[in-house]
Amino acid sequence: MANIFDVASEAGVSHQTVSRVVNGDPRVRPATRQRVDAAIAKLHYRPSAAARALASRKTRALGLLSTGGPLFGPSSIMQGFDGAAREAGYQVSIATIARADDDAMLLQIRQAVDALLGQNVEAIVVIAPDSAAIDAIRAMPVSVPLVVADTGQYDGVVSVSLDQFAGAVLASEHLASLGHRSIVHVAGPSDWTDALERERGWRSACDRLGLDAPEPLRGDWSPESGYRLGQGLADRAARGEVTAVFCANDQMALGLLHAFSERRIPVPGQVSITGFDDVPESRHFIPPLTTVRQDFTALGRQIMATVESLVGAAEAVEPPLVPVPELIVRSSTARVSG
């Protein structure tokens, strides 16, 4: 395998000149650069990533830390960002933190951040849906920029997110347009900022439209919690007290559909149900689920553009505008009967 000295000999220049060409030094004359490029191509020379990092003081390495587990939203954000980072020529080191009691989770976070900093990452992206994890990271002496994929605003970090509030408004307005005058909300955990934003959007839309908004029922994002809450809602639906439900994610909506099916509450004939996220399976629920789609690929690009602006990358661009979540209307919602 050719090395830098082989390239220098082939091009008739010093190895320092080859290094300057490889690292994009503008002081190299065009003719010299052309000879070096030709030698690199002829010898199939591959510059050392470590050497380039030392020369440029840029490692092109990023850290990604997530406490969201396998849930669809956090895992989709991870995938979207990782893809955007690789397209931009960065390598991503990923650390995932298992949900645990506070002390155990904080210890895992400290160990993960220390490990990422030990790899000389230029920035750390945090996908931590709960504020406690973000506060723990902010309390650490982190010497690189922190970017949080979260709807909250925190001192010392930059937040980038999709508009959870707007998505919840879309779902609520859709149910209202079908004639439903009361919308029950099956909310996510109270310590997740996305859940709180979706709840806030539902409340805002109901208040503005003059709809009844009963006290929300709170699940844990799982189909099992939706099924458990759905059993109680089925009793109320059987008495005609519930005609519309906005679920904070599709998995809880799936549990709700199961409970209603067992109790022979027709959806959407008697109760309309909307979800949130548009997981790939939602179009195959029975009935196919009306839900809110989020563009995680666009979010990944926005996070990456934000990172580049913070690390001072020469190729940094203005962060792209992330589209507002999109309402996907399927067969689980219908005009209120009667």
Side-chain angles (χ1 to χ4, degrees):
M1 181 180 294
N3 59 39
I4 192 170
F5 297 100
D6 297 326
V7 174
S9 177
E10 176 70 25
V13 299
S14 68
H15 71 277
Q16 292 96 334
T17 298
V18 175
S19 178
R20 286 195 287 271
V21 171
V22 167
N23 289 289
D25 191 328
R27 294 171 295 179
V28 179
R29 290 182 298 176
T32 301
R33 183 182 301 280
Q34 186 175 4
R35 293 206 312 275
V36 172
D37 286 340
I40 288 173
K42 178 180 178 180
L43 300 176
H44 304 289
Y45 171 61
R46 296 183 63 185
S48 162
R52 293 184 68 182
L54 287 172
S56 65
R57 300 186 184 276
K58 297 288 186 181
T59 63
R60 300 194 75 79
L62 302 172
L64 175 59
L65 187 151
S66 174
T67 66
L71 290 170
F72 180 76
S75 62
S76 296
I77 297 172
M78 287 179 64
Q79 185 176 7
F81 169 71
D82 185 56
R86 293 181 186 279
E87 285 180 6
Y90 287 79
Q91 293 297 312
V92 181
S93 294
I94 299 175
T96 57
I97 306 300
R99 304 290 295 178
D101 62 78
D102 289 347
D103 290 339
M105 189 171 72
L106 294 181
L107 176 60
Q108 290 182 69
I109 289 173
R110 285 195 291 268
Q111 292 172 337
V113 171
D114 285 341
L116 292 174
L117 292 175
Q119 298 176 46
N120 295 319
V121 297
E122 295 184 44
I124 295 177
V125 172
V126 181
I127 303 172
D130 58 289
S131 57
I134 297 173
D135 288 339
I137 296 169
R138 290 175 53 234
M140 297 181 63
V142 180
S143 56
V144 299
L146 288 173
V147 178
V148 177
D150 186 81
T151 54
Q153 299 297 319
Y154 308 90
D155 292 337
V157 302
V158 178
S159 296
V160 183
S161 68
L162 296 169
D163 196 335
Q164 310 298 310
F165 178 92
V169 168
L170 284 175
S172 303
E173 288 179 340
H174 170 67
L175 292 170
S177 73
L178 297 173
H180 298 281
R181 304 308 302 164
S182 177
I183 301 174
V184 173
H185 181 41
V186 175
S190 59
D191 59 344
W192 286 54
T193 52
D194 282 356
L196 295 178
E197 278 298 287
R198 294 173 196 179
E199 181 180 336
R200 189 171 70 88
W202 160 75
R203 287 188 184 278
S204 175
C206 288
D207 288 346
R208 175 168 49 81
L209 298 172
L211 308 180
D212 182 36
E215 189 65 23
L217 306 174
R218 202 164 296 283
D220 61 9
W221 299 127
S222 70
E224 184 60 35
S225 68
Y227 175 73
R228 172 177 48 82
L229 295 170
Q231 290 176 317
L233 281 174
D235 291 334
R236 293 166 57 185
R239 298 192 297 267
E241 299 172 4
V242 174
T243 68
V245 183
F246 163 44
C247 293
N249 78 335
D250 292 347
Q251 287 89 349
M252 291 192 296
L254 175 61
L256 208 71
L257 288 169
H258 181 189
F260 280 20
S261 176
E262 281 190 342
R263 297 294 300 276
R264 291 180 168 79
I265 303 295
V267 176
Q270 191 168 342
V271 179
S272 288
I273 298 177
T274 67
F276 203 106
D277 281 336
D278 192 29
V279 301
E281 300 82 2
S282 63
R283 71 191 63 186
H284 303 296
F285 290 0
I286 301 176
L289 184 67
T290 294
T291 186
V292 175
R293 177 180 295 165
Q294 304 192 82
D295 192 337
F296 293 108
T297 300
L299 177 60
R301 292 196 184 102
Q302 187 189 47
I303 295 173
M304 188 61 233
T306 302
V307 167
E308 289 186 300
S309 70
L310 292 173
V311 301
E315 65 273 27
V317 297
E318 286 295 318
L321 294 176
V322 177
V324 172
E326 177 186 2
L327 180 71
I328 306 299
V329 178
R330 299 194 179 104
S331 305
S332 67
T333 54
R335 185 161 294 279
V336 64
S337 59

